[in-house]
């Protein structure tokens, strides 16, 4: 996918975020999570990451039930991003919506494990 098309898709995805994505973004935006900078709907390697902390090379994906039908695609995507040095963290919509504190703690644990504070 071309860079220009990626940007257009990212803009469309930003406008149509799910409830879970909106909730998580409200905690990640403007360095609200312990000062870590996250971007939303960030184009990387021909894919659009839901959320990315570039400094940590961490991608956070918020998945709904439709991803059960896309397991192979998601695995290939994760492999490609891993080859580029990114760690992909997959979260379920329900976890974000019902257990946001646990989700934020899990994200922080990954960031801290990378030696970032």
């Amino acid at each position: 996918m071309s860079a220009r098309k990626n940007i257009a898709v990212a803009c469309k995805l930003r406008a149509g975020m799910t409830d879970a994505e909106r909730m998580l973004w409200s905690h990640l935006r403007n360095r609200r999570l312990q000062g870590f900078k996250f971007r939303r709907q960030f184009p990387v390697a021909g894919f659009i990451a839901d959320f990315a902390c570039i400094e940590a090379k961490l991608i956070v994906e918020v998945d709904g039930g439709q991803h059960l039908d896309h397991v192979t695609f998601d695995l290939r995507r994760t492999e490609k991003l891993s080859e580029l040095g990114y760690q992909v963290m997959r979260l379920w919509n329900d976890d974000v919506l019902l257990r946001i504190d646990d989700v934020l703690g899990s994200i922080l644990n990954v960031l801290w494990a990378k030696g970032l504070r």
Side-chain angles (χ1 to χ4, degrees):
M1 189 179 311
S2 73
R4 182 171 288 159
K5 187 173 181 181
N6 260 351
I7 292 169
V9 171
C11 288
K12 184 178 177 184
L13 290 171
R14 284 184 199 120
M17 291 173 67
T18 66
D19 290 342
E21 289 170 336
R22 270 192 296 280
M23 176 179 276
L24 184 55
W25 181 238
S26 74
H27 292 276
L28 299 178
R29 66 188 308 244
N30 297 328
R31 299 182 184 267
R32 289 182 182 162
L33 187 65
Q34 302 235 343
F36 289 104
K37 169 76 174 163
F38 279 86
R39 298 169 189 249
R40 68 182 168 132
Q41 306 304 336
F42 183 71
V44 58
F47 302 105
I48 308 292
D50 289 341
F51 304 100
C53 179
I54 306 306
E55 172 188 15
K57 293 200 96 169
L58 174 64
I59 291 174
V60 179
E61 291 292 317
V62 180
D63 296 340
Q66 76 278 9
H67 282 270
L68 294 173
D69 297 331
H70 301 104
V71 173
T72 303
F73 175 80
D74 286 343
L75 285 173
R76 280 195 317 251
R77 182 177 186 265
T78 297
E79 287 173 8
K80 175 68 174 170
L81 293 168
S82 295
E83 289 170 7
L84 296 172
Y86 287 91
Q87 180 177 350
V88 179
M89 185 176 189
R90 292 198 165 277
L91 306 168
W92 288 105
N93 283 346
D94 286 349
D95 290 328
V96 173
L97 292 170
L98 301 173
R99 292 173 280 288
I100 190 65
D101 290 336
D102 294 337
V103 164
L104 296 172
S106 296
I107 294 170
L108 281 172
N109 285 337
V110 170
L111 293 166
W112 293 337
K114 291 174 168 283
L116 301 169
R117 294 279 170 188

